[in-house]
Amino acid sequence: MIYPYEKVLPFEYESSECNDLRMVESPRTLGPLHSALCKGIEFTGKNQFPIVEPYTGQQPEVLCSVHRLLKKPSSLLHDQCGHFFTSDSHIEPFWNYPYRYIQWLRKLRYVISTDFSLYTNMLLMQKLWNSFRNKLMTAVFQHNGLNAIPAPSWGDLSNIELYMEGWPKSSIIAINSTGVVLDKRCRYIWLEGYHAMLDILKPIQIIRYGAYIEGERKEISTYYPNNNKPGYRYGS
């Protein structure tokens, strides 16, 4: 059963004299835990994760980190696909001022959903919070008319169903492998989680950013190079 978020948490900001959050946007006006972002978004009934719609459109030809695209002229953006496979410091501004950046993201043809980190050494609640944020931002992008491609991720194996809850089934998805290839333990967790993700979500196609890892399903994957600067370890 799906519950609209309005029935779970009242939106006190709606009684404000200024209801146009796009004009006065700040972390304060978005409310506790960014509750204003939840308006109009549907949530799962079990754990109330945001529900992301499947993406079944065209695949991008090339990928580029969103923070790099910010530096390009608007005339060069209409065919671009921006991704968030980069450090959290480059993603936080989009979380803190989402409506401001949504206006800019409309210039892109596609956007791959945010990828806040789910490091194995994080506490479970930290990983679930970042998983929630990734799903919420993707749902908000879709709700605002962006061609947003889901990018599921996982931080450990024992809670894989929680990390997948809310992500769509039978969708084109994007997966990132940067930062795990050279670490044997991280690579093992990534690959086991990858196969569990396939069983749960059954994606129709995978946009793969980063190096191939032995054991992946190549026949449903399109590989895109990690266009880092030399020496970068975690995305671009």
Side-chain angles (χ1 to χ4, degrees), residues 120-121 177-191 213 233-234:
T120 57
N121 60 356
S177 67
T178 58
V180 304
V181 177
L182 300 179
D183 186 297
K184 186 175 181 180
R185 177 174 176 270
C186 290
R187 188 169 66 249
Y188 170 80
I189 293 173
W190 186 95
L191 189 59
I213 294 178
R233 184 178 179 187
Y234 301 113

PDB file of all heavy atoms in Angstrom, residues 120-121 177-191 213 233-234:
ATOM      1  N   THR A 120      30.839   1.357   2.905  1.00  0.00           N
ATOM      2  CA  THR A 120      30.657   0.198   3.771  1.00  0.00           C
ATOM      3  C   THR A 120      30.960   0.506   5.230  1.00  0.00           C
ATOM      4  O   THR A 120      30.447  -0.171   6.122  1.00  0.00           O
ATOM      5  CB  THR A 120      31.550  -0.964   3.300  1.00  0.00           C
ATOM      6  OG1 THR A 120      32.919  -0.529   3.265  1.00  0.00           O
ATOM      7  CG2 THR A 120      31.145  -1.425   1.905  1.00  0.00           C
ATOM      8  N   ASN A 121      31.794   1.508   5.506  1.00  0.00           N
ATOM      9  CA  ASN A 121      32.134   1.830   6.895  1.00  0.00           C
ATOM     10  C   ASN A 121      31.191   2.858   7.516  1.00  0.00           C
ATOM     11  O   ASN A 121      31.416   3.317   8.630  1.00  0.00           O
ATOM     12  CB  ASN A 121      33.583   2.310   6.996  1.00  0.00           C
ATOM     13  CG  ASN A 121      33.853   3.559   6.162  1.00  0.00           C
ATOM     14  OD1 ASN A 121      32.967   4.043   5.442  1.00  0.00           O
ATOM     15  ND2 ASN A 121      35.072   4.080   6.251  1.00  0.00           N
ATOM     16  N   SER A 177      30.728   2.063 -10.880  1.00  0.00           N
ATOM     17  CA  SER A 177      31.693   1.166 -10.225  1.00  0.00           C
ATOM     18  C   SER A 177      32.967   1.885  -9.793  1.00  0.00           C
ATOM     19  O   SER A 177      33.916   1.235  -9.348  1.00  0.00           O
ATOM     20  CB  SER A 177      32.063   0.009 -11.160  1.00  0.00           C
ATOM     21  OG  SER A 177      32.793   0.476 -12.282  1.00  0.00           O
ATOM     22  N   THR A 178      33.023   3.203  -9.917  1.00  0.00           N
ATOM     23  CA  THR A 178      34.243   3.909  -9.547  1.00  0.00           C
ATOM     24  C   THR A 178      34.476   3.802  -8.036  1.00  0.00           C
ATOM     25  O   THR A 178      33.550   3.856  -7.239  1.00  0.00           O
ATOM     26  CB  THR A 178      34.178   5.396  -9.944  1.00  0.00           C
ATOM     27  OG1 THR A 178      33.050   6.005  -9.312  1.00  0.00           O
ATOM     28  CG2 THR A 178      34.028   5.545 -11.442  1.00  0.00           C
ATOM     29  N   GLY A 179      35.712   3.621  -7.660  1.00  0.00           N
ATOM     30  CA  GLY A 179      36.064   3.545  -6.254  1.00  0.00           C
ATOM     31  C   GLY A 179      36.035   2.149  -5.671  1.00  0.00           C
ATOM     32  O   GLY A 179      36.406   1.972  -4.500  1.00  0.00           O
ATOM     33  N   VAL A 180      35.590   1.134  -6.431  1.00  0.00           N
ATOM     34  CA  VAL A 180      35.506  -0.215  -5.877  1.00  0.00           C
ATOM     35  C   VAL A 180      36.406  -1.214  -6.600  1.00  0.00           C
ATOM     36  O   VAL A 180      36.693  -2.287  -6.065  1.00  0.00           O
ATOM     37  CB  VAL A 180      34.051  -0.742  -5.888  1.00  0.00           C
ATOM     38  CG1 VAL A 180      33.131   0.198  -5.150  1.00  0.00           C
ATOM     39  CG2 VAL A 180      33.552  -0.973  -7.306  1.00  0.00           C
ATOM     40  N   VAL A 181      36.833  -0.881  -7.790  1.00  0.00           N
ATOM     41  CA  VAL A 181      37.539  -1.852  -8.625  1.00  0.00           C
ATOM     42  C   VAL A 181      38.843  -2.328  -7.989  1.00  0.00           C
ATOM     43  O   VAL A 181      39.195  -3.515  -8.063  1.00  0.00           O
ATOM     44  CB  VAL A 181      37.807  -1.261 -10.028  1.00  0.00           C
ATOM     45  CG1 VAL A 181      38.603  -2.234 -10.872  1.00  0.00           C
ATOM     46  CG2 VAL A 181      36.490  -0.922 -10.718  1.00  0.00           C
ATOM     47  N   LEU A 182      39.577  -1.442  -7.345  1.00  0.00           N
ATOM     48  CA  LEU A 182      40.904  -1.776  -6.837  1.00  0.00           C
ATOM     49  C   LEU A 182      40.895  -2.363  -5.424  1.00  0.00           C
ATOM     50  O   LEU A 182      41.932  -2.801  -4.938  1.00  0.00           O
ATOM     51  CB  LEU A 182      41.797  -0.528  -6.867  1.00  0.00           C
ATOM     52  CG  LEU A 182      42.020   0.094  -8.249  1.00  0.00           C
ATOM     53  CD1 LEU A 182      42.902   1.326  -8.128  1.00  0.00           C
ATOM     54  CD2 LEU A 182      42.641  -0.919  -9.206  1.00  0.00           C
ATOM     55  N   ASP A 183      39.727  -2.374  -4.783  1.00  0.00           N
ATOM     56  CA  ASP A 183      39.626  -2.894  -3.422  1.00  0.00           C
ATOM     57  C   ASP A 183      38.878  -4.221  -3.459  1.00  0.00           C
ATOM     58  O   ASP A 183      37.715  -4.274  -3.836  1.00  0.00           O
ATOM     59  CB  ASP A 183      38.890  -1.887  -2.531  1.00  0.00           C
ATOM     60  CG  ASP A 183      38.874  -2.292  -1.069  1.00  0.00           C
ATOM     61  OD1 ASP A 183      38.280  -3.340  -0.761  1.00  0.00           O
ATOM     62  OD2 ASP A 183      39.446  -1.561  -0.245  1.00  0.00           O
ATOM     63  N   LYS A 184      39.546  -5.308  -3.061  1.00  0.00           N
ATOM     64  CA  LYS A 184      38.970  -6.653  -3.195  1.00  0.00           C
ATOM     65  C   LYS A 184      37.670  -6.794  -2.413  1.00  0.00           C
ATOM     66  O   LYS A 184      36.683  -7.356  -2.914  1.00  0.00           O
ATOM     67  CB  LYS A 184      39.981  -7.697  -2.725  1.00  0.00           C
ATOM     68  CG  LYS A 184      39.540  -9.124  -2.945  1.00  0.00           C
ATOM     69  CD  LYS A 184      40.636 -10.100  -2.557  1.00  0.00           C
ATOM     70  CE  LYS A 184      40.194 -11.542  -2.803  1.00  0.00           C
ATOM     71  NZ  LYS A 184      41.277 -12.508  -2.432  1.00  0.00           N
ATOM     72  N   ARG A 185      37.635  -6.296  -1.177  1.00  0.00           N
ATOM     73  CA  ARG A 185      36.426  -6.414  -0.351  1.00  0.00           C
ATOM     74  C   ARG A 185      35.283  -5.600  -0.939  1.00  0.00           C
ATOM     75  O   ARG A 185      34.149  -6.084  -1.046  1.00  0.00           O
ATOM     76  CB  ARG A 185      36.715  -5.954   1.075  1.00  0.00           C
ATOM     77  CG  ARG A 185      35.508  -5.967   1.998  1.00  0.00           C
ATOM     78  CD  ARG A 185      35.903  -5.640   3.427  1.00  0.00           C
ATOM     79  NE  ARG A 185      34.744  -5.549   4.296  1.00  0.00           N
ATOM     80  CZ  ARG A 185      34.075  -4.414   4.518  1.00  0.00           C
ATOM     81  NH1 ARG A 185      34.479  -3.288   3.939  1.00  0.00           N
ATOM     82  NH2 ARG A 185      33.030  -4.401   5.319  1.00  0.00           N
ATOM     83  N   CYS A 186      35.561  -4.365  -1.324  1.00  0.00           N
ATOM     84  CA  CYS A 186      34.520  -3.513  -1.904  1.00  0.00           C
ATOM     85  C   CYS A 186      34.009  -4.088  -3.227  1.00  0.00           C
ATOM     86  O   CYS A 186      32.811  -4.026  -3.516  1.00  0.00           O
ATOM     87  CB  CYS A 186      35.056  -2.098  -2.124  1.00  0.00           C
ATOM     88  SG  CYS A 186      35.342  -1.169  -0.606  1.00  0.00           S
ATOM     89  N   ARG A 187      34.929  -4.660  -3.994  1.00  0.00           N
ATOM     90  CA  ARG A 187      34.537  -5.258  -5.266  1.00  0.00           C
ATOM     91  C   ARG A 187      33.608  -6.453  -5.047  1.00  0.00           C
ATOM     92  O   ARG A 187      32.632  -6.636  -5.778  1.00  0.00           O
ATOM     93  CB  ARG A 187      35.775  -5.666  -6.052  1.00  0.00           C
ATOM     94  CG  ARG A 187      35.476  -6.116  -7.478  1.00  0.00           C
ATOM     95  CD  ARG A 187      36.752  -6.248  -8.298  1.00  0.00           C
ATOM     96  NE  ARG A 187      37.620  -7.310  -7.814  1.00  0.00           N
ATOM     97  CZ  ARG A 187      38.797  -7.110  -7.235  1.00  0.00           C
ATOM     98  NH1 ARG A 187      39.264  -5.877  -7.069  1.00  0.00           N
ATOM     99  NH2 ARG A 187      39.529  -8.130  -6.821  1.00  0.00           N
ATOM    100  N   TYR A 188      33.887  -7.250  -4.010  1.00  0.00           N
ATOM    101  CA  TYR A 188      33.041  -8.400  -3.685  1.00  0.00           C
ATOM    102  C   TYR A 188      31.640  -7.930  -3.281  1.00  0.00           C
ATOM    103  O   TYR A 188      30.628  -8.457  -3.762  1.00  0.00           O
ATOM    104  CB  TYR A 188      33.668  -9.222  -2.550  1.00  0.00           C
ATOM    105  CG  TYR A 188      32.749 -10.282  -1.999  1.00  0.00           C
ATOM    106  CD1 TYR A 188      32.593 -11.500  -2.659  1.00  0.00           C
ATOM    107  CD2 TYR A 188      32.022 -10.057  -0.827  1.00  0.00           C
ATOM    108  CE1 TYR A 188      31.735 -12.473  -2.159  1.00  0.00           C
ATOM    109  CE2 TYR A 188      31.163 -11.019  -0.323  1.00  0.00           C
ATOM    110  CZ  TYR A 188      31.021 -12.222  -0.991  1.00  0.00           C
ATOM    111  OH  TYR A 188      30.172 -13.164  -0.498  1.00  0.00           O
ATOM    112  N   ILE A 189      31.575  -6.946  -2.385  1.00  0.00           N
ATOM    113  CA  ILE A 189      30.278  -6.431  -1.936  1.00  0.00           C
ATOM    114  C   ILE A 189      29.514  -5.828  -3.112  1.00  0.00           C
ATOM    115  O   ILE A 189      28.304  -6.029  -3.266  1.00  0.00           O
ATOM    116  CB  ILE A 189      30.466  -5.396  -0.814  1.00  0.00           C
ATOM    117  CG1 ILE A 189      31.006  -6.088   0.441  1.00  0.00           C
ATOM    118  CG2 ILE A 189      29.155  -4.666  -0.504  1.00  0.00           C
ATOM    119  CD1 ILE A 189      31.376  -5.129   1.557  1.00  0.00           C
ATOM    120  N   TRP A 190      30.249  -5.096  -3.968  1.00  0.00           N
ATOM    121  CA  TRP A 190      29.606  -4.472  -5.128  1.00  0.00           C
ATOM    122  C   TRP A 190      29.005  -5.536  -6.035  1.00  0.00           C
ATOM    123  O   TRP A 190      27.850  -5.425  -6.463  1.00  0.00           O
ATOM    124  CB  TRP A 190      30.623  -3.634  -5.898  1.00  0.00           C
ATOM    125  CG  TRP A 190      30.033  -2.830  -7.024  1.00  0.00           C
ATOM    126  CD1 TRP A 190      29.629  -1.522  -6.964  1.00  0.00           C
ATOM    127  CD2 TRP A 190      29.776  -3.276  -8.365  1.00  0.00           C
ATOM    128  NE1 TRP A 190      29.127  -1.128  -8.196  1.00  0.00           N
ATOM    129  CE2 TRP A 190      29.202  -2.182  -9.062  1.00  0.00           C
ATOM    130  CE3 TRP A 190      29.958  -4.475  -9.030  1.00  0.00           C
ATOM    131  CZ2 TRP A 190      28.819  -2.264 -10.402  1.00  0.00           C
ATOM    132  CZ3 TRP A 190      29.564  -4.572 -10.369  1.00  0.00           C
ATOM    133  CH2 TRP A 190      29.005  -3.476 -11.043  1.00  0.00           C
ATOM    134  N   LEU A 191      29.753  -6.600  -6.332  1.00  0.00           N
ATOM    135  CA  LEU A 191      29.287  -7.614  -7.280  1.00  0.00           C
ATOM    136  C   LEU A 191      28.140  -8.437  -6.698  1.00  0.00           C
ATOM    137  O   LEU A 191      27.167  -8.737  -7.407  1.00  0.00           O
ATOM    138  CB  LEU A 191      30.452  -8.522  -7.675  1.00  0.00           C
ATOM    139  CG  LEU A 191      30.170  -9.498  -8.824  1.00  0.00           C
ATOM    140  CD1 LEU A 191      29.758  -8.752 -10.085  1.00  0.00           C
ATOM    141  CD2 LEU A 191      31.399 -10.360  -9.103  1.00  0.00           C
ATOM    142  N   ILE A 213      33.554  -5.088 -14.263  1.00  0.00           N
ATOM    143  CA  ILE A 213      33.932  -5.987 -13.188  1.00  0.00           C
ATOM    144  C   ILE A 213      33.516  -7.397 -13.587  1.00  0.00           C
ATOM    145  O   ILE A 213      32.363  -7.626 -13.976  1.00  0.00           O
ATOM    146  CB  ILE A 213      33.284  -5.576 -11.852  1.00  0.00           C
ATOM    147  CG1 ILE A 213      33.856  -4.223 -11.393  1.00  0.00           C
ATOM    148  CG2 ILE A 213      33.502  -6.628 -10.778  1.00  0.00           C
ATOM    149  CD1 ILE A 213      33.251  -3.689 -10.106  1.00  0.00           C
ATOM    150  N   ARG A 233      39.897   9.330  -7.795  1.00  0.00           N
ATOM    151  CA  ARG A 233      39.534   7.973  -7.394  1.00  0.00           C
ATOM    152  C   ARG A 233      38.031   7.752  -7.392  1.00  0.00           C
ATOM    153  O   ARG A 233      37.549   6.693  -7.779  1.00  0.00           O
ATOM    154  CB  ARG A 233      40.086   7.676  -6.006  1.00  0.00           C
ATOM    155  CG  ARG A 233      39.841   6.241  -5.558  1.00  0.00           C
ATOM    156  CD  ARG A 233      40.459   5.986  -4.203  1.00  0.00           C
ATOM    157  NE  ARG A 233      40.203   4.623  -3.762  1.00  0.00           N
ATOM    158  CZ  ARG A 233      40.514   4.159  -2.570  1.00  0.00           C
ATOM    159  NH1 ARG A 233      41.100   4.954  -1.699  1.00  0.00           N
ATOM    160  NH2 ARG A 233      40.252   2.908  -2.231  1.00  0.00           N
ATOM    161  N   TYR A 234      37.255   8.713  -6.950  1.00  0.00           N
ATOM    162  CA  TYR A 234      35.815   8.526  -6.784  1.00  0.00           C
ATOM    163  C   TYR A 234      35.051   9.384  -7.791  1.00  0.00           C
ATOM    164  O   TYR A 234      34.597  10.470  -7.477  1.00  0.00           O
ATOM    165  CB  TYR A 234      35.382   8.885  -5.365  1.00  0.00           C
ATOM    166  CG  TYR A 234      36.072   8.057  -4.311  1.00  0.00           C
ATOM    167  CD1 TYR A 234      36.968   8.633  -3.428  1.00  0.00           C
ATOM    168  CD2 TYR A 234      35.870   6.685  -4.253  1.00  0.00           C
ATOM    169  CE1 TYR A 234      37.617   7.869  -2.478  1.00  0.00           C
ATOM    170  CE2 TYR A 234      36.513   5.915  -3.295  1.00  0.00           C
ATOM    171  CZ  TYR A 234      37.380   6.512  -2.411  1.00  0.00           C
ATOM    172  OH  TYR A 234      38.022   5.763  -1.470  1.00  0.00           O
TER     173      TYR A 234
END
